[in-house]
Amino acid sequence: MRRRDFLNTLSASFVANLGAGLVLPLGANAWAATAPSIDAGANAFAAAGPAAARKKLVVVMLRGAVDGLNVVAPVGDANYLRLRPTIGLAAPGMEGGALDLDGYFGLHPALAGLQPLWREKKLAFVHASGSPDATRSHFDAQDYLESGTPGRKNTADGWMNRLVAALPGTPAPTRLLGIGPVLPRILSGSVAAVNLPNGAAATRADALDRPALGAAFDQLYADHPRFGRAYREGRQAHRDVMAAAQSREMQAADRGAPLPNGFPDDAARLATLMRNDPRIQLAFVALGGWDTHAGQGAAGGQLANRLAPLGQGLAVLAERLGPLFDDTVVLVVSEFGRTARENGNGGTDHGHGNVMWVLGGKVDGGKVYGDWAGIGDDALHEGRDLPVTTDFRSVLAQVAERHLRLADPKLVQVFPAMPQRMASFRLFNT
């Protein structure tokens, strides 16, 4: 890595994130850290402590708006196949049929790997959930989902960053972790975060791990008035991640036979990192490819090809976490749902309500939650898609309050302008 390239990257990142923290990519196999606020900065290197970070949250975001009506399909409703004559799932027990959940809803057969979690009551769904904002723009809807402030475009930070700032314990660079090509909106804010690239590159040594080169950069930025602190915190976060990746389990996963696509591999790596570094508390992964306007397919096809590795990765994550899964909640979310009727291209268009997935050892699972009004013509939002009967923030608030033990007064910091109508169900027994 040339020094000039490094400095150019550093400067550009600083300008781009001046208002919400500093992103600091280092090297081709990059990691990055946002600089904490001045108040939090003094304690940024201190460990959060195993007790404070014991309860974990992993958010998997499906960018492009997954078709929730074919993920958890109302196969017991006669309107379902009327609206979806070519892409609808057959009834359970038929060839290519859905996997029965409760006699009315059926799970897409590509997600068969999640059936054990459903049977063990560690998997639940919240149907007809989503954002109260009516937009069908991917950009706006994703922005609202990540900021946690539907309808507000001027929110500077993401709700996961506000959440980690509000939780007990001292901020640490590895407490908030993302996997993806860039630091996502949901993690940006005043508290330090780490972002790892997808794939095995995330935990491979990069140029700055060479002793001589690393020492040179350490000396260069030791007393730098503008970038010194961010550089040190980023370096420390990288060392922490690399240390967590040095276990035999991690090395075996990296050298093993390649999985069919990236998410199961990333999920296995994330689980190992979380087990090896108890300071990692909140993690985020985004997956694309869900905008199925044409050729969506039913039991097979485009959507099935996306769902299969997603389900496999979630099962791998639960398995690899081991006992830690009991202290973990995994949420799968998407910016909005899709139309109830299939379109003329064998696909679905942008809709409104969708389904949220909730996994975890302490989840009161084996249930499809939410206020469900059916998919008859009169029940559809604007005559075309599911209405949102559960605001996604009310689900997030339950996870924050009942799982992460966030104090009530702190909820308003994380989710300002919370909806007055809270969810009518409880996702946790405790």
Side-chain angles (χ1 to χ4, degrees):
M1 178 174 55
R2 295 179 300 176
R3 179 176 179 274
R4 182 181 60 187
D5 295 337
F6 170 75
L7 292 175
N8 286 342
T9 302
L10 185 64
S11 299
S13 297
F14 179 76
V15 172
N17 295 278
L18 190 61
L22 174 60
V23 180
L24 215 169
L26 299 177
N29 302 330
W31 43 273
T34 58
S37 66
I38 293 175
D39 290 341
N43 297 320
F45 280 123
R54 185 170 63 89
K55 295 292 185 180
K56 317 289 186 182
L57 171 64
V58 178
V59 177
V60 179
M61 182 169 177
L62 309 182
R63 297 191 189 277
V66 67
D67 180 22
L69 280 173
N70 263 23
V71 172
V72 178
V75 289
D77 193 318
N79 290 299
Y80 175 64
L81 288 180
R82 176 179 65 81
L83 296 171
R84 300 182 162 213
T86 68
I87 68 168
L89 300 173
M94 300 182 67
E95 183 178 356
L99 308 171
D100 182 51
L101 292 177
D102 60 5
Y104 178 84
F105 288 109
L107 188 66
H108 195 288
L111 296 171
L114 297 180
Q115 276 189 303
L117 291 172
W118 175 264
R119 287 194 293 265
E120 295 167 11
K121 301 189 184 306
K122 296 179 179 179
L123 166 64
F125 299 98
V126 182
H127 226 318
S129 58
S131 171
D133 191 88
T135 184
R136 290 189 175 93
S137 157
H138 290 298
F139 180 82
D140 287 344
Q142 290 182 25
D143 190 57
Y144 296 153
L145 183 63
E146 294 185 72
S147 69
T149 56
R152 293 187 187 178
K153 293 190 176 183
N154 60 350
T155 304
D157 50 12
W159 67 262
M160 290 188 75
N161 195 289
R162 296 195 299 272
L163 176 59
V164 78
L167 290 171
T170 306
T174 56
R175 196 174 183 187
L176 183 60
L177 183 145
I179 295 177
V182 296
L183 188 76
R185 171 99 166 79
I186 199 169
L187 299 186
S188 67
S190 62
V191 175
V194 176
N195 201 63
L196 303 173
N198 300 91
T203 50
R204 284 179 184 156
D206 60 26
L208 286 187
D209 289 311
R210 299 173 190 166
L213 187 58
F217 273 99
D218 289 350
Q219 183 177 7
L220 179 64
Y221 288 100
D223 300 314
H224 196 288
R226 295 181 65 189
F227 305 132
R229 187 203 308 161
Y231 175 83
R232 291 191 298 274
E233 291 168 357
R235 286 281 280 162
Q236 185 59 45
H238 177 64
R239 291 189 184 100
D240 291 343
V241 170
M242 292 297 289
Q246 294 308 309
S247 71
R248 291 183 180 179
E249 180 183 354
M250 176 65 81
Q251 292 172 359
D254 287 345
R255 294 198 302 264
L259 294 164
N261 60 49
F263 182 61
D265 202 18
D266 283 338
R269 189 171 296 105
L270 174 61
T272 305
L273 288 173
M274 291 175 67
R275 289 179 59 181
N276 290 345
D277 186 345
R279 293 169 297 183
I280 297 174
Q281 187 172 20
L282 307 182
F284 176 82
V285 183
L287 302 172
W290 305 97
D291 197 12
T292 50
H293 284 283
Q296 178 174 307
Q302 184 184 176
L303 179 62
N305 292 339
R306 302 284 188 274
L307 290 175
L310 171 60
Q312 183 184 357
L314 293 171
V316 166
L317 180 62
E319 178 186 0
R320 295 288 184 92
L321 283 173
L324 193 58
F325 188 59
D326 279 345
D327 288 320
T328 303
V329 166
V330 181
L331 290 175
V332 182
V333 299
S334 199
E335 65 263 36
F336 47 64
R338 308 194 70 83
T339 49
R341 291 181 180 81
E342 66 179 63
N343 61 27
N345 296 316
T348 49
D349 299 320
H350 298 178
H352 197 42
N354 207 334
V355 62
M356 297 177 73
W357 315 18
V358 189
L359 301 85
K362 294 296 192 297
V363 171
D364 187 13
K367 299 176 183 176
V368 179
Y369 292 99
D371 296 327
W372 178 260
I375 52 172
D377 293 341
D378 294 341
L380 296 178
H381 171 66
E382 297 181 345
R384 55 176 280 168
D385 39 46
L386 283 182
V388 171
T389 57
T390 300
D391 190 305
F392 74 96
R393 292 170 296 178
S394 64
V395 176
L396 302 181
Q398 274 203 43
V399 173
E401 184 181 16
R402 301 188 65 82
H403 170 65
L404 297 173
R405 305 300 184 190
L406 182 71
D408 285 351
K410 297 281 189 180
L411 273 177
V412 70
Q413 296 179 22
V414 182
F415 304 110
M418 276 284 293
Q420 295 296 313
R421 184 174 180 268
M422 300 302 291
S424 59
F425 51 83
R426 288 190 171 188
L427 291 165
F428 305 94
N429 286 321
T430 56

